[in-house]
Amino acid sequence: MSTSTRGSFSSRIGFIAAAAGSAVGLGNIWKFPYEVGNYGGAAFLIIYVLCAFIICMPIMVAEIAMGRNAQLNPFGTYKKLGGKGWAWAGFFGILAGVMILSFYNVVAGWAFGYFLQISFGDLLAQGDYGAYFGRYVANVGDNMVFSLAFMVLTALIVVGGVQKGIERWTKILMPALISIILVLIIYGLTLDNAFKGIEFYLVPDFGKINMEVLYKALSQAFFSLSLGMGALITYGSYFSKKDNIVSSAALVTTADLSIAFLAGMLIFPLVFFQGIAPTEGPGLVFVALPGIFEAMGPILGRVVGGGFFLLLCFAALTSTISLLEVPVAFVTDQFKTGRKKTVWLLAVLIFLIGLPSMLSQGAVSWLTEFVSYGGQTRDFMTVVIDIFSDIALPLGGFLISIFVAYKWKIARFSDELEHGHPKFRGTWEEKFVTIMLSTLSPLIVGFIVLATILERFAGISLF
Ligand code: PFF
């Protein structure tokens, strides 16, 4: 396949919908609330917002500009713009994406299972939803079927290509998701103790800020914005030269942050109403919500609860398609293979790579208690998240900043941004983006990642 026959988005709105669809996913609705819960509530939220707008948004602009300029996948992009020596940085991103999809698909499978069990099964009669979740994720049969189904769905859409697959579906699914979240927030705010939840979420206790909070907020911002591994290089390669990259990136960032913010507004009132600990961890959404749906009564509970988890699946789906598109673009660009065959091959492969993560949630004990570091025993999935998401994505962002500022060079980067934004040079946007990429982003991101690796894995604290 030559680069001229690669797909493209039909319009700027198509690109924004697809990039926002990639950004908005389990990261916003599943991961963000439990990290806010674990790492100090409102203090985490504030740092998270700062990271997203100040550090991550310029990196997002850089990724999209690189992809659009090179018209290739992340590996090909780095190679074309920076030479062979840099191609490994693109490859490293693609590998991170493959590993992220491997566990992400498992969690998406949980959401899919919850949708089916709430709508058509007896999930809402379980009472103790914490215990139910524990049993649920350790159940091999269900998880195998649901996560395989999810991967098949992802592959079917990706086979359809950029416009008819990715773009069309995100435009339908995103508005539906926002509507149901808003309805649930309004409902949650009428419950007892709702405002204790809001207080936890919105009134900061700055004493809670430490290195771990900084690091988690930064890596969560990267994960949530689909940044640091080349998903946006790939989507950027399908983006028209006529469109404005800077304003599109600002819109995608705002959309993503808004949905994460709303997810917190939805979850914390419900958590405090039910007396659940906000530090529940990865099960938080799966434990906090069913009790509320149960209280709505057998029919309404099924409709609203089923609807919520169905839409969570949709949000996850618009992210899994972007995750799968990255290695697909890599293989089809570099090895000129057919799209359809490549999609199915990679989907099967990544599903298999995800099996140890799936089995590490109680089903197989050595995977559940896989290793110990940082004073805690970690399951296999947590190790994959720590390495390929929490560390690899900020590291990828660090490499992108250094690459654009010192290898590709700001002048060429600005030339690319002038397409679709002819007055870009001389604006405050130019100053902000270039200062961030050439100095502050690499310094801050590099420091936080290094400090955290030292602290967590080697027990060396820089403070
Ligand atoms: N941004 C997605 C989420 O928040 O759920 C996850 C993700 C998608 C990460 C695509 C990375 C990526 F390339």
Side-chain angles (χ1 to χ4, degrees):
M1 197 191 283
S2 77
T3 48
S4 59
T5 59
R6 299 172 90 247
S8 64
F9 290 111
S10 66
S11 63
R12 175 162 178 262
I13 296 300
F15 169 82
I16 291 172
S22 166
V24 174
L26 296 171
N28 304 58
I29 299 162
W30 162 71
K31 200 162 181 271
F32 175 73
Y34 84 70
E35 295 212 327
V36 172
N38 273 348
Y39 297 102
F44 180 95
L45 175 68
I46 291 175
I47 300 196
Y48 176 75
V49 173
L50 293 176
C51 286
F53 273 118
I54 299 178
I55 297 178
C56 292
M57 204 171 67
I59 297 178
M60 181 183 285
V61 171
E63 272 204 34
I64 300 171
M66 283 167 65
R68 190 173 73 175
N69 188 272
Q71 299 277 301
L72 284 167
N73 66 88
F75 174 88
T77 294
Y78 266 110
K79 194 168 162 199
K80 183 168 172 186
L81 305 182
K84 272 206 181 109
W86 274 95
W88 62 268
F91 184 77
F92 165 80
I94 296 164
L95 180 71
V98 164
M99 295 308 291
I100 290 175
L101 180 54
S102 79
F103 79 77
Y104 197 94
N105 184 60
V106 172
V107 181
W110 298 346
F112 192 36
Y114 262 56
F115 155 63
L116 293 175
Q117 307 283 10
I118 288 178
S119 299
F120 310 109
D122 62 355
L123 196 151
L124 294 184
Q126 298 296 323
D128 184 346
Y129 293 102
Y132 181 82
F133 179 69
R135 285 197 304 277
Y136 188 81
V137 293
N139 175 337
V140 182
D142 278 10
N143 279 303
M144 201 72 97
V145 172
F146 297 140
S147 67
L148 183 63
F150 209 86
M151 188 60 96
V152 169
L153 226 57
T154 304
L156 283 172
I157 295 184
V158 176
V159 163
V162 178
Q163 276 185 28
K164 291 214 186 84
I166 298 172
E167 186 179 327
R168 185 175 66 182
W169 281 96
T170 21
K171 275 185 182 161
I172 301 173
L173 302 178
M174 294 286 294
L177 176 71
I178 296 171
S179 314
I180 198 153
I181 290 180
L182 287 176
V183 170
L184 283 173
I185 290 177
I186 294 168
Y187 176 76
L189 289 176
T190 65
L191 300 172
D192 286 348
N193 284 336
F195 285 90
K196 282 203 181 127
I198 296 292
E199 192 182 327
F200 172 79
Y201 185 45
L202 298 183
V203 181
D205 171 357
F206 290 107
K208 290 187 174 156
I209 297 177
N210 56 28
M211 201 64 215
E212 183 84 357
V213 172
L214 283 179
Y215 159 64
K216 281 288 175 182
L218 181 74
S219 50
Q220 171 61 17
F222 272 94
F223 182 81
S224 190
L225 292 167
S226 303
L227 219 56
M229 48 149 280
L232 290 164
I233 295 182
T234 308
Y235 274 14
S237 75
Y238 308 135
F239 192 34
S240 157
K241 283 273 192 202
K242 292 199 290 291
D243 292 324
N244 183 333
I245 292 183
V246 183
S247 65
S248 305
L251 265 172
V252 172
T253 307
T254 309
D256 186 62
L257 272 179
S258 310
I259 304 251
F261 179 75
L262 290 177
M265 292 293 289
L266 160 64
I267 297 295
F268 290 107
L270 304 188
V271 165
F272 280 76
F273 168 66
Q274 293 171 99
I276 296 168
T279 49
E280 175 79 26
L284 190 63
V285 168
F286 294 91
V287 175
L289 288 168
I292 299 297
F293 299 139
E294 184 187 338
M296 289 178 169
I299 296 177
L300 195 63
R302 270 180 208 273
V303 174
V304 179
F308 175 82
F309 279 101
L310 180 64
L311 288 166
L312 183 58
C313 290
F314 290 159
L317 192 60
T318 53
S319 301
T320 52
I321 55 187
S322 73
L323 283 160
L324 185 58
E325 180 64 22
V326 174
V328 166
F330 167 62
V331 175
T332 52
D333 280 345
Q334 301 302 131
F335 304 102
K336 317 284 179 227
T337 53
R339 185 173 176 90
K340 200 169 171 184
K341 215 169 51 195
T342 311
V343 169
W344 286 109
L345 206 83
L346 283 166
V348 171
L349 186 73
I350 297 171
F351 173 76
L352 295 176
I353 295 175
L355 289 181
S357 288
M358 182 195 296
L359 300 175
S360 72
Q361 302 301 303
V364 173
S365 58
W366 68 271
L367 289 168
T368 307
E369 285 156 33
F370 191 60
V371 280
S372 268
Y373 52 82
Q376 273 174 41
T377 305
R378 324 257 170 176
D379 61 70
F380 186 86
M381 188 195 278
T382 304
V383 177
V384 175
I385 296 179
D386 278 351
I387 298 175
F388 292 100
S389 165
D390 286 2
I391 295 176
L393 297 183
L395 207 59
F398 171 79
L399 291 174
I400 285 163
S401 330
I402 300 276
F403 178 79
V404 167
Y406 302 106
K407 178 71 192 173
W408 191 35
K409 300 275 160 68
I410 295 292
R412 271 181 287 228
F413 169 63
S414 296
D415 285 346
E416 182 58 42
L417 294 183
E418 270 188 330
H419 292 289
H421 187 1
K423 298 202 186 84
F424 175 68
R425 280 194 155 89
T427 57
W428 67 269
E429 296 162 44
E430 183 197 19
K431 291 189 189 78
F432 170 61
V433 171
T434 50
I435 290 174
M436 286 312 297
L437 289 175
S438 53
T439 53
L440 291 179
S441 299
L443 279 177
I444 298 173
V445 175
F447 175 75
I448 296 180
V449 173
L450 185 72
T452 309
I453 294 176
L454 288 177
E455 192 168 313
R456 177 172 291 194
F457 296 99
I460 303 168
S461 178
L462 294 186
F463 293 100

